Amino acid sequence: MMQATELSTIDIARLRACPVNGDPFRHMIVPGFLRADAAPAVDSDYPKLDRGGSIPLGALDYGPAFARLIAELRSPEMTAAVAEKFDIDLAGRPTMVTVRARCRLKDGQIHTDSKGKLVTALLYMNGGWEADGGRLRLLRGPDSLDDYAAEVPPDAGTLLLFKCTEDAWHGHKPFEGPRRAIQLNWVVDESYLKREQRRHGLSALLKKLPFAS
């Protein structure tokens, strides 16, 4: 098992010290979760993508610093900390990772995550975010982006965690351009994981075609 002292890219202590907010649903916003001294190498090794959408990790090429980050996000220490904060048993639950590099105008529509997901973690990898669009809003319902309790600018190193419940509505105003995020999900079982991997893999393939938007 990887020891906590070996977690060189993420700050588990910062996560553990962060309170869980219940408005409008159970979530945590953890600025500085990616360690500042690790950020330049991770940034350099981030997958080179020129298209939008969520791309499964297995379809990407990336460098060793990025690989180290993913390993630490999936580590037993990370899983244990998240399980404790959200009072949920994640022991033995599979994890799924997808990566984004660009945002399209159609992205960010109001939604909840699928029932097969237990907890969502979003780690943002952008510089200081100045745009009005692209800031994820945690919503009180499905009807309006203006009815929100919290707004998360996708600044470098900021982690957003939330429990995937029926009321976990979220979305953001339209934005087009570079917007990098790593999404990690703890999911219900291997069958769901394989199904989602096939779906994301097909979607990634279609996005490479000339007519794909």
Side-chain angles (χ1 to χ4, degrees):
M1 179 184 293
M2 183 184 296
Q3 298 300 312
T5 54
E6 296 177 357
L7 297 182
S8 60
T9 66
I10 61 175
D11 192 341
I12 289 290
R14 187 179 291 265
L15 188 158
R16 290 186 182 279
C18 182
V20 176
N21 194 319
D23 182 18
F25 49 84
R26 296 188 72 193
H27 72 275
M28 300 171 63
I29 301 170
V30 191
F33 179 69
L34 177 65
R35 295 183 184 277
D37 57 356
V42 173
D43 184 74
S44 178
D45 285 352
Y46 197 91
K48 305 299 188 288
L49 292 169
D50 59 0
R51 61 189 187 276
S54 296
I55 312 299
L57 187 68
L60 298 171
D61 294 320
Y62 45 85
F66 187 85
R68 175 75 180 186
L69 170 62
I70 297 300
E72 293 188 9
L73 289 174
R74 288 175 136 168
S75 68
E77 288 77 16
M78 176 71 173
T79 297
V82 172
E84 180 181 349
K85 298 300 287 193
F86 289 102
D87 192 23
I88 182 173
D89 184 4
L90 296 177
R93 299 291 191 180
T95 56
M96 178 174 66
V97 177
T98 56
V99 179
R100 285 180 176 266
R102 296 190 63 83
C103 192
R104 303 160 297 184
L105 289 176
K106 66 180 181 180
D107 293 333
Q109 297 181 30
I110 296 173
H111 68 285
T112 59
D113 286 0
S114 64
K115 293 181 179 179
K117 296 176 180 178
L118 301 171
V119 178
T120 291
L122 287 164
L123 180 60
Y124 293 109
M125 296 291 299
N126 309 282
W129 194 263
E130 297 181 358
D132 184 44
R135 299 168 179 261
L136 195 69
R137 291 180 173 181
L138 309 185
L139 307 172
R140 295 191 173 92
D143 300 323
S144 173
L145 281 170
D146 293 325
D147 186 15
Y148 65 95
E151 183 178 70
V152 189
D155 294 332
T158 295
L159 176 72
L160 168 66
L161 282 162
F162 62 87
K163 198 169 181 179
C164 299
T165 54
E166 293 183 354
D167 63 343
W169 298 100
H170 54 283
H172 62 73
K173 288 185 176 181
F175 175 80
E176 186 172 28
R179 183 180 181 273
R180 302 194 304 176
I182 301 164
Q183 180 166 327
L184 166 68
N185 288 101
W186 287 265
V187 301
V188 290
D189 54 33
E190 289 289 343
S191 63
Y192 175 86
L193 176 63
K194 290 177 181 177
R195 186 167 65 249
E196 286 296 288
Q197 287 175 332
R198 287 195 297 269
R199 182 177 70 84
H200 279 293
L202 176 60
S203 176
L205 178 63
L206 291 175
K207 286 166 187 166
K208 292 181 179 180
L209 298 177
F211 55 80
S213 59

